[in-house]
mmCIF file of all heavy atoms in Angstrom:
data_model
loop_
_atom_site.group_PDB
_atom_site.id
_atom_site.type_symbol
_atom_site.label_atom_id
_atom_site.label_comp_id
_atom_site.label_asym_id
_atom_site.label_seq_id
_atom_site.Cartn_x
_atom_site.Cartn_y
_atom_site.Cartn_z
ATOM 1 N N LEU A 1 5.544 7.042 -3.917
ATOM 2 C CA LEU A 1 4.189 7.173 -4.465
ATOM 3 C C LEU A 1 3.968 8.550 -5.046
ATOM 4 O O LEU A 1 4.653 9.520 -4.704
ATOM 5 C CB LEU A 1 3.139 6.875 -3.392
ATOM 6 C CG LEU A 1 3.018 7.826 -2.203
ATOM 7 C CD1 LEU A 1 1.942 8.864 -2.480
ATOM 8 C CD2 LEU A 1 2.671 7.068 -0.948
ATOM 9 N N SER A 2 2.996 8.614 -5.921
ATOM 10 C CA SER A 2 2.560 9.879 -6.525
ATOM 11 C C SER A 2 1.043 9.875 -6.601
ATOM 12 O O SER A 2 0.411 8.815 -6.603
ATOM 13 C CB SER A 2 3.169 10.051 -7.928
ATOM 14 O OG SER A 2 2.754 8.983 -8.771
ATOM 15 N N VAL A 3 0.477 11.071 -6.659
ATOM 16 C CA VAL A 3 -0.973 11.218 -6.741
ATOM 17 C C VAL A 3 -1.315 12.070 -7.945
ATOM 18 O O VAL A 3 -0.469 12.802 -8.478
ATOM 19 C CB VAL A 3 -1.544 11.843 -5.446
ATOM 20 C CG1 VAL A 3 -1.316 10.933 -4.261
ATOM 21 C CG2 VAL A 3 -0.937 13.219 -5.187
ATOM 22 N N GLU A 4 -2.557 11.984 -8.368
ATOM 23 C CA GLU A 4 -3.015 12.729 -9.540
ATOM 24 C C GLU A 4 -2.899 14.231 -9.288
ATOM 25 O O GLU A 4 -3.249 14.731 -8.215
ATOM 26 C CB GLU A 4 -4.472 12.376 -9.849
ATOM 27 C CG GLU A 4 -4.698 10.925 -10.261
ATOM 28 C CD GLU A 4 -4.096 10.608 -11.615
ATOM 29 O OE1 GLU A 4 -3.897 11.554 -12.403
ATOM 30 O OE2 GLU A 4 -3.816 9.427 -11.875
ATOM 31 N N GLY A 5 -2.397 14.934 -10.305
ATOM 32 C CA GLY A 5 -2.322 16.387 -10.228
ATOM 33 C C GLY A 5 -1.179 16.915 -9.387
ATOM 34 O O GLY A 5 -1.112 18.118 -9.128
ATOM 35 N N ASP A 6 -0.269 16.048 -8.941
ATOM 36 C CA ASP A 6 0.857 16.471 -8.114
ATOM 37 C C ASP A 6 2.113 15.823 -8.676
ATOM 38 O O ASP A 6 2.212 14.599 -8.759
ATOM 39 C CB ASP A 6 0.638 16.045 -6.658
ATOM 40 C CG ASP A 6 1.679 16.632 -5.712
ATOM 41 O OD1 ASP A 6 2.706 17.148 -6.201
ATOM 42 O OD2 ASP A 6 1.464 16.579 -4.483
ATOM 43 N N SER A 7 3.079 16.639 -9.060
ATOM 44 C CA SER A 7 4.297 16.123 -9.665
ATOM 45 C C SER A 7 5.316 15.653 -8.639
ATOM 46 O O SER A 7 6.345 15.079 -9.003
ATOM 47 C CB SER A 7 4.934 17.207 -10.552
ATOM 48 O OG SER A 7 5.252 18.360 -9.768
ATOM 49 N N ASN A 8 5.054 15.900 -7.369
ATOM 50 C CA ASN A 8 6.001 15.498 -6.321
ATOM 51 C C ASN A 8 6.000 13.990 -6.132
ATOM 52 O O ASN A 8 4.975 13.328 -6.320
ATOM 53 C CB ASN A 8 5.663 16.185 -4.998
ATOM 54 C CG ASN A 8 5.866 17.684 -5.068
ATOM 55 O OD1 ASN A 8 6.786 18.162 -5.724
ATOM 56 N ND2 ASN A 8 5.008 18.431 -4.396
ATOM 57 N N LEU A 9 7.153 13.472 -5.711
ATOM 58 C CA LEU A 9 7.284 12.066 -5.359
ATOM 59 C C LEU A 9 7.405 11.970 -3.847
ATOM 60 O O LEU A 9 8.244 12.624 -3.234
ATOM 61 C CB LEU A 9 8.529 11.460 -6.026
ATOM 62 C CG LEU A 9 8.728 9.957 -5.846
ATOM 63 C CD1 LEU A 9 7.636 9.190 -6.576
ATOM 64 C CD2 LEU A 9 10.105 9.541 -6.355
ATOM 65 N N TYR A 10 6.553 11.162 -3.222
ATOM 66 C CA TYR A 10 6.508 11.063 -1.768
ATOM 67 C C TYR A 10 7.082 9.713 -1.339
ATOM 68 O O TYR A 10 6.879 8.695 -2.002
ATOM 69 C CB TYR A 10 5.070 11.205 -1.268
ATOM 70 C CG TYR A 10 4.478 12.559 -1.580
ATOM 71 C CD1 TYR A 10 3.783 12.769 -2.770
ATOM 72 C CD2 TYR A 10 4.624 13.619 -0.700
ATOM 73 C CE1 TYR A 10 3.247 14.007 -3.071
ATOM 74 C CE2 TYR A 10 4.088 14.870 -0.992
ATOM 75 C CZ TYR A 10 3.404 15.058 -2.175
ATOM 76 O OH TYR A 10 2.871 16.278 -2.467
ATOM 77 N N ILE A 11 7.786 9.740 -0.231
ATOM 78 C CA ILE A 11 8.472 8.550 0.270
ATOM 79 C C ILE A 11 7.794 8.070 1.550
ATOM 80 O O ILE A 11 7.449 8.870 2.426
ATOM 81 C CB ILE A 11 9.959 8.837 0.551
ATOM 82 C CG1 ILE A 11 10.633 9.413 -0.701
ATOM 83 C CG2 ILE A 11 10.669 7.573 1.007
ATOM 84 C CD1 ILE A 11 10.611 8.501 -1.889
ATOM 85 N N GLY A 12 7.588 6.765 1.643
ATOM 86 C CA GLY A 12 7.010 6.173 2.845
ATOM 87 C C GLY A 12 7.671 4.835 3.143
ATOM 88 O O GLY A 12 8.629 4.435 2.478
ATOM 89 N N ARG A 13 7.143 4.146 4.163
ATOM 90 C CA ARG A 13 7.653 2.840 4.557
ATOM 91 C C ARG A 13 6.489 1.896 4.813
ATOM 92 O O ARG A 13 5.457 2.312 5.355
ATOM 93 C CB ARG A 13 8.490 2.945 5.829
ATOM 94 C CG ARG A 13 9.768 3.746 5.688
ATOM 95 C CD ARG A 13 10.867 2.918 5.072
ATOM 96 N NE ARG A 13 12.077 3.727 4.840
ATOM 97 C CZ ARG A 13 13.167 3.266 4.240
ATOM 98 N NH1 ARG A 13 13.199 2.003 3.838
ATOM 99 N NH2 ARG A 13 14.205 4.033 4.032
ATOM 100 N N ILE A 14 6.654 0.630 4.428
ATOM 101 C CA ILE A 14 5.656 -0.379 4.752
ATOM 102 C C ILE A 14 5.613 -0.531 6.276
ATOM 103 O O ILE A 14 6.623 -0.806 6.911
ATOM 104 C CB ILE A 14 5.973 -1.724 4.086
ATOM 105 C CG1 ILE A 14 5.910 -1.591 2.558
ATOM 106 C CG2 ILE A 14 4.992 -2.798 4.553
ATOM 107 C CD1 ILE A 14 4.535 -1.325 2.011
ATOM 108 N N ALA A 15 4.426 -0.335 6.858
ATOM 109 C CA ALA A 15 4.284 -0.401 8.319
ATOM 110 C C ALA A 15 3.504 -1.632 8.762
ATOM 111 O O ALA A 15 3.790 -2.194 9.820
ATOM 112 C CB ALA A 15 3.602 0.861 8.839
ATOM 113 N N ARG A 16 2.532 -2.048 7.979
ATOM 114 C CA ARG A 16 1.674 -3.161 8.388
ATOM 115 C C ARG A 16 1.325 -4.024 7.183
ATOM 116 O O ARG A 16 1.140 -3.501 6.078
ATOM 117 C CB ARG A 16 0.384 -2.625 9.031
ATOM 118 C CG ARG A 16 0.592 -2.002 10.402
ATOM 119 C CD ARG A 16 -0.603 -1.160 10.815
ATOM 120 N NE ARG A 16 -0.720 0.037 9.999
ATOM 121 C CZ ARG A 16 -0.074 1.166 10.261
ATOM 122 N NH1 ARG A 16 0.738 1.243 11.298
ATOM 123 N NH2 ARG A 16 -0.220 2.229 9.502
ATOM 124 N N LEU A 17 1.234 -5.338 7.415
ATOM 125 C CA LEU A 17 0.833 -6.283 6.381
ATOM 126 C C LEU A 17 -0.285 -7.151 6.928
ATOM 127 O O LEU A 17 -0.264 -7.554 8.089
ATOM 128 C CB LEU A 17 1.998 -7.181 5.938
ATOM 129 C CG LEU A 17 3.188 -6.547 5.225
ATOM 130 C CD1 LEU A 17 4.212 -6.036 6.209
ATOM 131 C CD2 LEU A 17 3.823 -7.563 4.277
ATOM 132 N N SER A 18 -1.249 -7.455 6.072
ATOM 133 C CA SER A 18 -2.308 -8.376 6.472
ATOM 134 C C SER A 18 -1.711 -9.772 6.641
ATOM 135 O O SER A 18 -0.824 -10.174 5.870
ATOM 136 C CB SER A 18 -3.407 -8.404 5.414
ATOM 137 O OG SER A 18 -4.343 -9.434 5.693
ATOM 138 N N PRO A 19 -2.173 -10.524 7.628
ATOM 139 C CA PRO A 19 -1.632 -11.880 7.808
ATOM 140 C C PRO A 19 -2.145 -12.876 6.775
ATOM 141 O O PRO A 19 -1.629 -13.992 6.696
ATOM 142 C CB PRO A 19 -2.118 -12.249 9.211
ATOM 143 C CG PRO A 19 -3.368 -11.447 9.403
ATOM 144 C CD PRO A 19 -3.133 -10.155 8.677
ATOM 145 N N THR A 20 -3.150 -12.480 6.001
ATOM 146 C CA THR A 20 -3.744 -13.413 5.039
ATOM 147 C C THR A 20 -3.850 -12.760 3.668
ATOM 148 O O THR A 20 -3.770 -11.533 3.530
ATOM 149 C CB THR A 20 -5.154 -13.850 5.490
ATOM 150 O OG1 THR A 20 -6.003 -12.689 5.564
ATOM 151 C CG2 THR A 20 -5.105 -14.529 6.850
ATOM 152 N N ILE A 21 -4.034 -13.589 2.664
ATOM 153 C CA ILE A 21 -4.338 -13.137 1.309
ATOM 154 C C ILE A 21 -5.827 -13.342 1.076
ATOM 155 O O ILE A 21 -6.369 -14.410 1.360
ATOM 156 C CB ILE A 21 -3.510 -13.923 0.278
ATOM 157 C CG1 ILE A 21 -2.024 -13.546 0.421
ATOM 158 C CG2 ILE A 21 -4.000 -13.651 -1.143
ATOM 159 C CD1 ILE A 21 -1.107 -14.300 -0.498
ATOM 160 N N THR A 22 -6.496 -12.313 0.587
ATOM 161 C CA THR A 22 -7.944 -12.392 0.413
ATOM 162 C C THR A 22 -8.289 -13.481 -0.592
ATOM 163 O O THR A 22 -7.695 -13.570 -1.672
ATOM 164 C CB THR A 22 -8.506 -11.047 -0.071
ATOM 165 O OG1 THR A 22 -7.851 -10.662 -1.275
ATOM 166 C CG2 THR A 22 -8.279 -9.967 0.987
ATOM 167 N N ALA A 23 -9.253 -14.316 -0.227
ATOM 168 C CA ALA A 23 -9.619 -15.444 -1.087
ATOM 169 C C ALA A 23 -10.375 -14.989 -2.328
ATOM 170 O O ALA A 23 -10.335 -15.657 -3.362
ATOM 171 C CB ALA A 23 -10.469 -16.442 -0.288
ATOM 172 N N GLN A 24 -11.083 -13.852 -2.253
ATOM 173 C CA GLN A 24 -11.902 -13.419 -3.384
ATOM 174 C C GLN A 24 -11.057 -12.981 -4.574
ATOM 175 O O GLN A 24 -11.333 -13.344 -5.718
ATOM 176 C CB GLN A 24 -12.831 -12.267 -2.970
ATOM 177 C CG GLN A 24 -13.878 -12.639 -1.933
ATOM 178 C CD GLN A 24 -13.326 -12.588 -0.523
ATOM 179 O OE1 GLN A 24 -12.141 -12.329 -0.316
ATOM 180 N NE2 GLN A 24 -14.183 -12.847 0.446
ATOM 181 N N ASN A 25 -10.007 -12.170 -4.315
ATOM 182 C CA ASN A 25 -9.236 -11.635 -5.437
ATOM 183 C C ASN A 25 -7.740 -11.916 -5.344
ATOM 184 O O ASN A 25 -6.960 -11.380 -6.129
ATOM 185 C CB ASN A 25 -9.459 -10.122 -5.559
ATOM 186 C CG ASN A 25 -9.369 -9.435 -4.206
ATOM 187 O OD1 ASN A 25 -8.778 -9.979 -3.263
ATOM 188 N ND2 ASN A 25 -9.938 -8.246 -4.104
ATOM 189 N N ARG A 26 -7.314 -12.726 -4.351
ATOM 190 C CA ARG A 26 -5.917 -13.153 -4.240
ATOM 191 C C ARG A 26 -4.977 -11.946 -4.122
ATOM 192 O O ARG A 26 -4.012 -11.805 -4.864
ATOM 193 C CB ARG A 26 -5.511 -14.008 -5.437
ATOM 194 C CG ARG A 26 -6.384 -15.215 -5.660
ATOM 195 C CD ARG A 26 -6.331 -16.156 -4.476
ATOM 196 N NE ARG A 26 -7.231 -17.300 -4.639
ATOM 197 C CZ ARG A 26 -7.459 -18.218 -3.726
ATOM 198 N NH1 ARG A 26 -6.862 -18.125 -2.544
ATOM 199 N NH2 ARG A 26 -8.285 -19.209 -3.957
ATOM 200 N N LEU A 27 -5.290 -11.076 -3.165
ATOM 201 C CA LEU A 27 -4.477 -9.880 -2.959
ATOM 202 C C LEU A 27 -4.029 -9.807 -1.508
ATOM 203 O O LEU A 27 -4.739 -10.247 -0.601
ATOM 204 C CB LEU A 27 -5.264 -8.614 -3.317
ATOM 205 C CG LEU A 27 -5.683 -8.453 -4.776
ATOM 206 C CD1 LEU A 27 -6.586 -7.248 -4.938
ATOM 207 C CD2 LEU A 27 -4.452 -8.312 -5.676
ATOM 208 N N LEU A 28 -2.846 -9.241 -1.302
ATOM 209 C CA LEU A 28 -2.319 -8.984 0.037
ATOM 210 C C LEU A 28 -2.518 -7.510 0.356
ATOM 211 O O LEU A 28 -2.063 -6.648 -0.407
ATOM 212 C CB LEU A 28 -0.831 -9.349 0.105
ATOM 213 C CG LEU A 28 -0.113 -8.987 1.411
ATOM 214 C CD1 LEU A 28 -0.622 -9.846 2.563
ATOM 215 C CD2 LEU A 28 1.401 -9.128 1.245
ATOM 216 N N ILE A 29 -3.181 -7.209 1.477
ATOM 217 C CA ILE A 29 -3.414 -5.824 1.885
ATOM 218 C C ILE A 29 -2.213 -5.359 2.709
ATOM 219 O O ILE A 29 -1.822 -6.003 3.680
ATOM 220 C CB ILE A 29 -4.699 -5.698 2.722
ATOM 221 C CG1 ILE A 29 -5.891 -6.304 1.964
ATOM 222 C CG2 ILE A 29 -4.967 -4.239 3.064
ATOM 223 C CD1 ILE A 29 -6.175 -5.646 0.645
ATOM 224 N N VAL A 30 -1.620 -4.245 2.288
ATOM 225 C CA VAL A 30 -0.489 -3.668 3.021
ATOM 226 C C VAL A 30 -0.797 -2.204 3.315
ATOM 227 O O VAL A 30 -1.585 -1.563 2.616
ATOM 228 C CB VAL A 30 0.827 -3.781 2.227
ATOM 229 C CG1 VAL A 30 1.158 -5.237 1.938
ATOM 230 C CG2 VAL A 30 0.756 -2.992 0.928
ATOM 231 N N GLU A 31 -0.168 -1.695 4.362
ATOM 232 C CA GLU A 31 -0.301 -0.287 4.723
ATOM 233 C C GLU A 31 1.081 0.320 4.892
ATOM 234 O O GLU A 31 1.952 -0.275 5.536
ATOM 235 C CB GLU A 31 -1.092 -0.109 6.021
ATOM 236 C CG GLU A 31 -2.585 -0.304 5.855
ATOM 237 C CD GLU A 31 -3.360 0.099 7.098
ATOM 238 O OE1 GLU A 31 -2.709 0.425 8.119
ATOM 239 O OE2 GLU A 31 -4.601 0.094 7.050
ATOM 240 N N ALA A 32 1.264 1.487 4.299
ATOM 241 C CA ALA A 32 2.514 2.233 4.432
ATOM 242 C C ALA A 32 2.225 3.569 5.092
ATOM 243 O O ALA A 32 1.141 4.138 4.916
ATOM 244 C CB ALA A 32 3.162 2.450 3.069
ATOM 245 N N GLU A 33 3.175 4.064 5.859
ATOM 246 C CA GLU A 33 3.069 5.387 6.458
ATOM 247 C C GLU A 33 3.858 6.367 5.609
ATOM 248 O O GLU A 33 5.028 6.123 5.304
ATOM 249 C CB GLU A 33 3.581 5.373 7.896
ATOM 250 C CG GLU A 33 2.670 4.600 8.844
ATOM 251 C CD GLU A 33 3.064 4.783 10.296
ATOM 252 O OE1 GLU A 33 4.112 5.416 10.553
ATOM 253 O OE2 GLU A 33 2.327 4.288 11.169
#
């Protein structure tokens, strides 16, 4: 990942996934550390 105003590239890992896909916008919520 990268953020605005920072040229560095940061590395993380997927830690948690939502068990469902949101019905409103058809998206899966994930969290990375």
Side-chain angles (χ1 to χ4, degrees):
L1 66 94
S2 60
V3 296
E4 295 291 338
D6 188 346
S7 60
N8 294 324
L9 185 67
Y10 297 91
I11 305 299
R13 295 279 176 184
I14 296 293
R16 289 164 291 274
L17 294 87
S18 172
T20 61
I21 292 177
T22 56
Q24 295 83 357
N25 45 21
R26 304 298 177 185
L27 296 173
L28 174 68
I29 306 300
V30 300
E31 284 189 354
E33 290 189 354

